[in-house]
C-alpha cells in the first residue's frame, strides 16, 4: 500500500508538473496568463489522432508535426489576438479563455467525441517496481518530466534566448535598452508554452481518452499548481506538483476517490489564505499571478 | 554622429521636450545638465527609442497620448521610427537611471544578457574589457545582482550596456545616489571608456560638478528646452550655469 502511494504519488506529481510548466513559463516571461493552455493540450491530442488515423502518418512524425503546429498556434495567439490588448491583464484572460472555449466547442461540434479518440502508448507493457506494477508509459512520463526540468534549467541559464527570457521577465525596460524585443520575446514565450502543452499532451494522452472536457481540467490543474508553487521558479512548480500529486494519491488511497478534486481546491484555498504569493513565490503579489 | 533637430515630445498635452536641437560627435563626452523634471530622462528615452516603444504600445490599445515630432539622425540615418532593438543594433545603448540591473540574475548573467545581439566572440572580448575597467565585479561574478551595493550595481549596469557594444552610450544620471568616495572613480571610468574604446558618451546629470572636467561639450536643459550649449570650458565659466547647477 505504502509503496503504491510513493510510486503513484511521484507519477501523479510529474503529470501535474507537465501540465503546468508551459503555462507557468509563458506567464513568467511575458506576464500573459494563457487560458487557452488546456485547449492547446487537447488540440494537440486531436491533431496527432488525425495525423495517425486519417492521414496515416507514422507516429513519431505525427508527434513532431503536432508539436510544431501547436507552437505556431501559440505564436499566432500573441500576434493576432493579444497584441492589441497587451498589458490589460483581465482582457488577456478573457480573450484567451474565449479562444479556449471556441477551440474546445469546435471539436465537440465537429463530432470529436467518443471512445475511439485515443492515442497508442509509446511502448506496450509494464514492469514491477518494488512490488508495484507500473506500465512503461508512466515510467516514460517520469523521464520526460525530469528531463524537461533539467533542460529548462540549462536553457534559462546558459543560452542567449534563455537569459533574455529571464531578463525581460525581471525588468522589461532594461531588457529593451539592451536590444531585447518585447514582442519577439512574448511571441516566443507563447510558442514555447504551447509547445510544452503539446509535449504534455503527447506523453499523457496515451494514458486515457481524448475528451473535450479534459481541456478545462488541464487548465484548472495548471492554475492550481501555479497558485500553489508561486510563479517564481521551476523549483516552485515541481515542488507544488509533487506536493499536490502526493496529496491527491493519499486522499484517493486512504479516504475515497471522489474527494480528489476537493484536494486541489482546498490546497488553493489554504495557500491563498496563508501565503498568497505561493509556497515558493518571490514577493509577487496575488493579482500579478492570475 | 547623433543629430537632433527641432525635437518635440508631448505626453498628453504636456510638452516634455520643446523644440530641442543638439548633436553628439564621434568619441566625445557630452553632458546634459538639468534639474529634476527638466526633461533629461525623456530625451534619453527618446534617443534610445523607449518613448517610441511606449507610443507604439499605447497606439495598439487605441490610446493617442504620446507624440514625437522632429528629426533624429544617427550617422546620417533617420531613426525617428526605428524600434529600440534596431537602435541597439546600430550602436545606441542606454544605461537608464537608478542602475536597473536584473536583480534575480547573477552578475555574469546580467553581463551576458547585454550581449543578446552580439556574437559570442564579441561578448567574450567585451567581458574582458569590463572586468578590466571594473575589477571589483570579478569577485562578484556569482552574486545575485539584487544583493550588490548601489555603486556595484551602477558598475554592473554600465558594464552590461558596454557588452551590447555601443558606439553611442547614453548614461542617465550615473552618479545618482552614489557616495562622494565612489563618484570620482566612476567619472574616471567614464573617461577611460571614451579614451580606450572611442565610444561617444552622452551623460545626463543633475549634480554635474564631478563630471565637468571630462566634458567636451555641454548642454543645459530646462523645461524641455536647451538654455545653454557650449564646450565644457564655456560651461564651467558661465556664471548662470555655475549658480544654478554646481552650487557655487
Amino acid at each position: 500500500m505504502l509503496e503504491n502511494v510513493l510510486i503513484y504519488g511521484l507519477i501523479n506529481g510529474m503529470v501535474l508538473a507537465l501540465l503546468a510548466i508551459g503555462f507557468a513559463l509563458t506567464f513568467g516571461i511575458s506576464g500573459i496568463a494563457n487560458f487557452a493552455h488546456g485547449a492547446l493540450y487537447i488540440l494537440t491530442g486531436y491533431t496527432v489522432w488525425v495525423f495517425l488515423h486519417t492521414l496515416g502518418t507514422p507516429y513519431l512524425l505525427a508527434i513532431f508535426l503536432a508539436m510544431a503546429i501547436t507552437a505556431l498556434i501559440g505564436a499566432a495567439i500573441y500576434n493576432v489576438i493579444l497584441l492589441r490588448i497587451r498589458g490589460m491583464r483581465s482582457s488577456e484572460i478573457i480573450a484567451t479563455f474565449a479562444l479556449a472555449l471556441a477551440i474546445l466547442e469546435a471539436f465537440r461540434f465537429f463530432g470529436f467525441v467518443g471512445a475511439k479518440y485515443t492515442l497508442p502508448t509509446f511502448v506496450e507493457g509494464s514492469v514491477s517496481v518494488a512490488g508495484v506494477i507500473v506500465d512503461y508509459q508512466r515510467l516514460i512520463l517520469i523521464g520526460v518530466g525530469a528531463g524537461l526540468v533539467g533542460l529548462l534549467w540549462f536553457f534559462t541559464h546558459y543560452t542567449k534566448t534563455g537569459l533574455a527570457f529571464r531578463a525581460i521577465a525581471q525588468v522589461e525596460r532594461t531588457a529593451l535598452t539592451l536590444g531585447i524585443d518585447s514582442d519577439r520575446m512574448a511571441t516566443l514565450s507563447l510558442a514555447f508554452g504551447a509547445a510544452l502543452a503539446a509535449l504534455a499532451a503527447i506523453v499523457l494522452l496515451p494514458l486515457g481518452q481524448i475528451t473535450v472536457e479534459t481541456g478545462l481540467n488541464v487548465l484548472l490543474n495548471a492554475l492550481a499548481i501555479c497558485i500553489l508553487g508561486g510563479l517564481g521558479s521551476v523549483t516552485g512548480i515541481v515542488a507544488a506538483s509533487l506536493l499536490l500529486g502526493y496529496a491527491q494519491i493519499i486522499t484517493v488511497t486512504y479516504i475515497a476517490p471522489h474527494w480528489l478534486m476537493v484536494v486541489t481546491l482546498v490546497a488553493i484555498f489554504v495557500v491563498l489564505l496563508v501565503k498568497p504569493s505561493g509556497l515558493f513565490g518571490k514577493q509577487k503579489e496575488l493579482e500579478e499571478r492570475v | 554622429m547623433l543629430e537632433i533637430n527641432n525635437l518635440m515630445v508631448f505626453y498628453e498635452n504636456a510638452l516634455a521636450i520643446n523644440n530641442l536641437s543638439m548633436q553628439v560627435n564621434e568619441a566625445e563626452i557630452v553632458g546634459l545638465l538639468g534639474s529634476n523634471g527638466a526633461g533629461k530622462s525623456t530625451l534619453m528615452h527618446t534617443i534610445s527609442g523607449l518613448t517610441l516603444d511606449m507610443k507604439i504600445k499605447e497606439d495598439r490599445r487605441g490610446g493617442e497620448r504620446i507624440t514625437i515630432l522632429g528629426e533624429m539622425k544617427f550617422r546620417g540615418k533617420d531613426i525617428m521610427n526605428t524600434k529600440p532593438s534596431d537602435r541597439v543594433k546600430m550602436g545606441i545603448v542606454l544605461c537608464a537611471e537608478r542602475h536597473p540591473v536584473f536583480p534575480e540574475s547573477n552578475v555574469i548573467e546580467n553581463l551576458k544578457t547585454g550581449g543578446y545581439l552580439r556574437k559570442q566572440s564579441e561578448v567574450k572580448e567585451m567581458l574582458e574589457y569590463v572586468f578590466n575597467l571594473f575589477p571589483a565585479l570579478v569577485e562578484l561574478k556569482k552574486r545575485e545582482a539584487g544583493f550588490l551595493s548601489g555603486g556595484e550595481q551602477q558598475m554592473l549596469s554600465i558594464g552590461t550596456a558596454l557588452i551590447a557594444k555601443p558606439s553611442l552610450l547614453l548614461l542617465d544620471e550615473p552618479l545618482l545616489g552614489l557616495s562622494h568616495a565612489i563618484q570620482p572613480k566612476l567619472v574616471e571610468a567614464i573617461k577611460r571608456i571614451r579614451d580606450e574604446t572611442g565610444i561617444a558618451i552622452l551623460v545626463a546629470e543633475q549634480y554635474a560638478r564631478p563630471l565637468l572636467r571630462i566634458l567636451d561639450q555641454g548642454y543645459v536643459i530646462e523645461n524641455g528646452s536647451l538654455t545653454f550649449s557650449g564646450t565644457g570650458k564655456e560651461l564651467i565659466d558661465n556664471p548662470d550655469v555655475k549658480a544654478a547647477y554646481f552650487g557655487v
Side-chain angles (χ1 to χ4, degrees):
Chain A
M1 194 79 152
L2 182 64
E3 294 89 349
N4 211 47
V5 169
L6 282 176
I7 289 170
Y8 276 89
L10 174 68
I11 292 170
N12 195 31
M14 277 301 177
V15 169
L16 292 171
L18 280 168
L19 293 180
I21 208 155
F23 182 87
L25 186 90
T26 304
F27 187 88
I29 296 163
S30 57
I32 293 168
N34 180 13
F35 271 54
H37 188 74
L40 291 172
Y41 175 92
I42 288 306
L43 179 99
T44 311
Y46 283 126
T47 312
V48 175
W49 191 91
V50 168
F51 272 124
L52 280 180
H53 293 94
T54 314
L55 304 169
T57 321
Y59 198 15
L60 196 64
L61 183 65
I63 285 173
F64 282 114
L65 286 174
M67 269 184 85
I69 290 171
T70 310
L72 284 177
I73 292 175
I77 289 176
Y78 181 74
N79 286 292
V80 179
I81 299 173
L82 292 173
L83 200 59
R84 295 181 61 83
I85 50 172
R86 185 77 208 276
M88 295 188 271
R89 197 144 283 171
S90 38
S91 304
E92 290 170 355
I93 291 176
I94 292 167
T96 49
F97 191 62
L99 179 73
L101 291 180
I103 292 174
L104 294 175
E105 292 311 313
F107 279 118
R108 201 197 302 280
F109 182 77
F110 289 110
F112 283 85
V113 181
K116 68 171 178 168
Y117 292 101
T118 55
L119 296 179
T121 51
F122 299 163
V123 188
E124 284 296 325
S126 55
V127 67
S128 167
V129 181
V132 182
I133 306 293
V134 184
D135 52 317
Y136 286 123
Q137 188 72 21
R138 288 188 165 82
L139 287 182
I140 290 172
L141 87 82
I142 294 178
V144 170
L148 186 67
V149 169
L151 212 65
L152 272 182
W153 189 85
F154 179 84
F155 173 73
T156 50
H157 284 78
Y158 290 101
T159 65
K160 261 187 189 175
T161 311
L163 286 175
F165 273 167
R166 282 170 62 206
I168 204 149
Q170 291 177 52
V171 194
E172 184 177 351
R173 208 181 60 181
T174 308
L176 283 174
T177 64
L178 297 171
I180 297 166
D181 188 87
S182 57
D183 285 333
R184 198 180 132 82
M185 285 299 128
T187 305
L188 278 177
S189 83
L190 269 136
F192 266 66
L196 291 178
L199 180 69
I202 284 157
V203 180
L204 301 180
L205 282 176
L207 295 171
Q209 205 180 315
I210 315 172
T211 65
V212 170
E213 290 73 24
T214 316
L216 295 178
N217 279 334
V218 166
L219 176 64
L220 187 61
N221 275 314
L223 284 175
I225 296 298
C226 291
I227 291 171
L228 205 56
L231 283 150
S233 61
V234 179
T235 324
I237 298 300
V238 174
S241 302
L242 289 176
L243 199 71
L244 199 56
Y246 275 108
Q248 285 180 346
I249 293 296
I250 288 169
T251 310
V252 168
T253 314
Y254 296 105
I255 305 174
H258 60 262
W259 290 100
L260 181 74
M261 207 58 222
V262 178
V263 178
T264 313
L265 297 173
V266 167
I268 295 177
F269 184 68
V270 172
V271 169
L272 287 183
L273 267 184
V274 179
K275 195 170 180 298
S277 62
L279 297 178
F280 297 82
K282 297 179 184 170
Q283 308 103 359
K284 297 213 167 132
E285 294 301 316
L286 175 62
E287 61 267 27
E288 270 189 75
R289 304 176 298 112
V290 179
Chain B
M1 71 194 314
L2 177 73
E3 217 187 304
I4 296 175
N5 291 315
N6 309 101
L7 184 71
M8 310 265 263
V9 177
F10 294 86
Y11 289 134
E12 301 226 49
N13 292 324
L15 188 56
I17 299 288
N18 183 7
N19 202 17
L20 182 146
S21 303
M22 66 179 292
Q23 53 177 331
V24 178
N25 299 323
E26 299 274 350
E28 261 189 358
I29 301 181
V30 177
L32 179 69
L33 315 180
S35 55
N36 243 336
K40 296 188 302 295
S41 289
T42 302
L43 182 59
M44 294 301 233
H45 290 182
T46 307
I47 298 172
S48 73
L50 289 183
T51 314
L52 177 71
D53 186 75
M54 213 154 72
K55 177 185 155 59
I56 292 172
K57 283 173 186 164
E58 282 266 353
D59 287 353
R60 273 182 200 154
R61 283 181 234 154
E64 285 171 359
R65 299 192 301 172
I66 302 167
T67 318
I68 312 168
L69 301 169
E71 196 183 58
M72 254 194 307
K73 277 186 183 163
F74 183 70
R75 291 185 163 159
K77 277 194 197 119
D78 174 38
I79 55 165
M80 280 299 280
N81 295 310
T82 313
K83 59 180 184 173
S85 57
D86 288 332
R87 293 193 203 191
V88 174
K89 259 179 233 166
M90 296 169 84
I92 305 175
V93 179
L94 168 71
C95 176
E97 70 277 20
R98 293 174 195 280
H99 37 76
V101 294
F102 303 116
E104 287 158 28
S105 300
N106 66 31
V107 167
I108 194 83
E109 287 167 347
N110 264 274
L111 290 169
K112 282 186 175 165
T113 305
Y116 178 66
L117 290 175
R118 305 295 172 207
K119 284 199 231 72
Q120 202 72 41
S121 56
E122 290 176 310
V123 172
K124 227 177 149 187
E125 192 185 307
M126 283 314 279
L127 269 176
E128 247 173 63
Y129 180 73
V130 169
F131 285 132
N132 182 10
L133 186 70
F134 299 123
L137 291 180
V138 178
E139 301 249 304
L140 302 169
K141 268 185 189 174
K142 295 278 169 202
R143 179 103 35 105
E144 272 187 38
F147 293 130
L148 301 182
S149 72
E152 288 162 349
Q153 288 193 11
Q154 187 61 62
M155 287 190 265
L156 177 57
S157 139
I158 295 177
T160 307
L162 282 175
I163 307 283
K165 260 200 149 205
S167 42
L168 172 63
L169 178 62
L170 309 170
L171 295 177
D172 199 356
E173 307 215 48
L175 303 180
L176 186 71
L178 301 188
S179 74
H180 289 290
I182 299 176
Q183 283 185 359
K185 287 185 190 161
L186 201 67
V187 171
E188 194 48 44
I190 293 172
K191 186 169 168 357
R192 268 186 68 190
I193 294 170
R194 192 276 311 267
D195 292 347
E196 292 169 1
T197 63
I199 295 172
I201 298 172
L202 176 62
V203 48
E205 257 308 331
Q206 199 172 156
Y207 302 105
R209 184 194 277 277
L211 273 174
L212 276 184
R213 60 181 188 82
I214 66 165
L215 297 183
D216 297 305
Q217 238 199 110
Y219 293 95
V220 174
I221 183 169
E222 262 173 54
N223 293 326
S225 34
L226 296 179
T227 54
F228 176 90
S229 66
T231 63
K233 180 143 186 359
E234 286 167 356
L235 198 67
I236 299 175
D237 294 339
N238 187 303
D240 292 346
V241 173
K242 245 186 202 167
Y245 297 102
F246 315 132
V248 180

